[in-house]
Amino acid sequence: LPDGSGAPAKAIPSMRGLLGQFLRVPGGREFIVQVPGVMNSPLKDAEAAELMNWLLPYVSASTLPTQVVPYTAEEMARLRQSRPADLMARRQQLLDAMAEAGLPLN
């Protein structure tokens, strides 16, 4: 949903307060733009980068690392070319890495 709360009935998890934590573990930065809502968006790469750069502080300001590198159109183009074969398994791996690092998951 526009506020990052997901749609649990459709197995789309909430990212509110959690999105920034993905940036703290290897592979998390890539993952958050490889989810269907970003991958399948009709937005051009530059527009998708702009949206992600706005969305991160909007839904997860409290969990963002202090030095977040903004997404670029070139990075978006590269990342949107591939996606993990099992998106939910990859998400769980990243959540496990966050837990191992002692990062809050809510």
Side-chain angles (χ1 to χ4, degrees):
L1 296 173
D3 68 351
S5 63
K10 295 180 181 180
I12 301 170
S14 175
M15 295 298 251
R16 287 204 62 78
L18 182 61
L19 198 58
Q21 302 296 40
F22 280 90
L23 299 176
R24 297 175 183 274
V25 295
R29 179 179 177 88
E30 296 82 359
F31 175 79
I32 62 177
V33 299
Q34 292 173 326
V35 298
V38 180
M39 291 284 294
N40 301 332
S41 168
L43 295 174
K44 293 177 180 168
D45 294 324
E47 295 168 329
E50 187 176 332
L51 175 63
M52 289 304 295
N53 293 332
W54 169 83
L55 184 67
L56 284 165
Y58 179 71
V59 301
S60 247
S62 65
T63 61
L64 286 180
T66 54
Q67 297 295 325
V68 176
V69 176
Y71 284 99
T72 65
E74 295 77 20
E75 183 180 21
M76 287 302 238
R78 180 177 51 80
L79 294 175
R80 291 170 95 188
Q81 292 298 314
S82 65
R83 182 162 97 191
D86 186 336
L87 198 62
M88 294 308 287
R90 182 62 181 142
R91 182 179 193 277
Q92 189 58 55
Q93 289 172 341
L94 293 168
L95 291 172
D96 292 345
M98 288 178 219
E100 277 186 35
L103 299 171
L105 301 179
N106 46 6

